[in-house]
Amino acid sequence: MKFSTVKRHFRESIKSLGRNSWMTIASVSAVTVTLILVGVFALIMMNLNKVATDLENDVEIKVLIDETADEAAEKVLIEKVKKLPGVSEMTYSTKEDELTKLVKDFGDDFKLFEQSNPLRNVIYVKAADPQQTAKVAKAIDKYEYTYDVMYGEGKVEKLFNFLNISRNVGIVLILGLLFTAIFLISNTIRITIIARRDEIEIMKLVGATNSFVRIPFLLEGMWLGILGSIIPIAVVTTLYHNIYKIIAPRLQGELVQLLDFSPLVYQVSGLLLLIGVLIGIWGSFMSVRKFLKI
């Protein structure tokens, strides 16, 4: 394709936006509203996914070692746990360490156990895949000298099920919003093209190829997508900046953290721009296709 032809297509697509100003406003508005919803929901879902990942990664298995195990037996047990497939982290803690943690967490009243410590030596284990925690715990429980293996049985499975359902629901809702955006812009652009049906037919009758007719409309859809993504990007950036400034300091030191402002807002902004361009082009493509069959 010649440069002059490409230049002509770009010029015609931009002129068309001005000639059909009301349709342009309607299309941009449709994209804007939908992308604001997509952007806000994307921020929520990405942070919920971060929270879910943090919660999953915090799940650990606590292995209480039997008091009958001597030092050699403990070393054998530790080596078995360390070599077990699916184990990513393992920490050994003596009963003295456990008592120190107890005093730190719940107060000096527990210092009375320093003379006769009733606690046991412990191995803390984390699974490489948090979803496999129960499987790893059951494997460890079969080893000799394990007095008890605790990982929150029942509660952990419910937590993982809830997190998986939340993620799947989020994906479905975002896909639903994207299809809504495509539907809205496709219908809006279709109205524009119907108004220019005679122009398309004349171009076809004088020998214009389908691609020659189609490209200006696809470019027009691209411009509509770009224009429709500007306000959502500004809304998402401003909204998350204010939320992050208020909430992030209060979560310092907590298990659950918000995603950092940067690069999150740049990622979401780029995503919104890309979605805007794609749904604009796709909406135009679907709308103009039927009018090329003459």
Side-chain angles (χ1 to χ4, degrees):
M1 189 180 293
K2 295 180 180 179
F3 176 74
S4 58
T5 305
V6 174
K7 187 177 178 181
R8 181 256 177 202
H9 287 327
F10 272 92
R11 185 174 61 250
E12 286 301 312
S13 66
I14 294 171
K15 281 182 179 179
S16 178
L17 295 177
R19 283 199 303 264
N20 304 279
S21 56
W22 284 109
M23 287 297 101
T24 297
I25 293 171
S27 297
V28 169
S29 299
V31 177
T32 297
V33 171
T34 309
L35 288 187
I36 286 176
L37 294 174
V38 171
V40 171
F41 206 80
L43 287 178
I44 294 171
M45 288 309 304
M46 291 172 78
N47 274 284
L48 284 179
N49 188 61
K50 169 71 163 53
V51 170
T53 302
D54 288 343
L55 290 173
E56 286 178 341
N57 291 335
D58 191 56
V59 173
E60 63 182 4
I61 303 164
K62 185 176 182 179
V63 183
L64 301 181
I65 303 174
D66 198 299
E67 290 181 332
T68 60
D70 56 19
E71 187 175 343
E74 282 192 354
K75 285 183 179 179
V76 171
L77 177 59
I78 289 170
E79 284 302 312
K80 284 182 179 179
V81 173
K82 190 182 294 184
K83 293 177 181 178
L84 182 66
V87 171
S88 65
E89 293 181 33
M90 193 207 70
T91 307
Y92 175 76
S93 177
T94 66
K95 61 181 183 179
E96 288 76 22
D97 293 333
E98 290 299 293
L99 182 58
T100 301
K101 290 179 188 175
L102 203 60
V103 171
K104 182 180 178 182
D105 292 339
F106 298 103
D108 293 341
D109 290 344
F110 286 89
K111 284 186 176 181
L112 59 91
F113 293 112
E114 288 179 347
Q115 300 303 318
S116 56
N117 190 341
L119 303 178
R120 298 173 185 271
N121 296 338
V122 174
I123 302 173
Y124 290 100
V125 180
K126 283 193 176 183
D129 178 4
Q131 302 274 346
Q132 297 298 315
T133 298
K135 182 179 178 181
V136 173
K138 289 174 183 176
I140 295 173
D141 197 29
K142 295 177 182 178
Y143 293 151
E144 191 177 6
Y145 297 115
T146 56
Y147 175 78
D148 195 10
V149 178
M150 300 180 292
Y151 64 95
E153 185 176 2
K155 294 180 181 178
V156 167
E157 288 85 353
K158 289 179 181 178
L159 172 65
F160 288 156
N161 287 335
F162 173 75
L163 296 177
N164 289 333
I165 291 170
S166 298
R167 284 169 172 153
N168 292 333
V169 169
I171 291 171
V172 169
L173 288 175
I174 287 179
L175 289 176
L177 287 171
L178 293 180
F179 281 116
T180 301
I182 293 173
F183 175 77
L184 287 173
I185 194 170
S186 177
N187 280 332
T188 309
I189 293 175
R190 184 177 289 118
I191 295 171
T192 304
I193 294 173
I194 288 173
R196 297 161 64 186
R197 181 170 46 194
D198 293 341
E199 177 187 340
I200 294 173
E201 291 179 356
I202 291 170
M203 291 173 69
K204 288 285 292 179
L205 289 172
V206 298
T209 63
N210 284 347
S211 60
F212 188 87
V213 176
R214 182 184 290 121
I215 289 175
F217 287 103
L218 297 183
L219 290 173
E220 186 176 338
M222 180 187 73
W223 297 129
L224 292 173
I226 291 173
L227 291 172
S229 66
I230 292 174
I231 293 176
I233 288 172
V235 169
V236 164
T237 302
T238 304
L239 180 65
Y240 195 67
H241 177 265
N242 292 330
I243 290 174
Y244 188 83
K245 188 167 62 174
I246 295 169
I247 297 178
R250 299 180 182 180
L251 296 177
Q252 286 289 351
E254 299 293 334
L255 168 64
V256 175
Q257 300 286 328
L258 289 179
L259 286 167
D260 291 337
F261 177 79
S262 173
L264 176 62
V265 291
Y266 300 112
Q267 293 170 345
V268 174
S269 296
L271 178 66
L272 292 178
L273 180 61
L274 178 63
I275 291 172
V277 170
L278 290 178
I279 62 176
I281 292 175
W282 180 252
S284 295
F285 177 80
M286 296 301 292
S287 299
V288 76
R289 185 175 57 175
K290 63 176 292 186
F291 293 106
L292 293 178
K293 298 175 182 178
I294 62 171

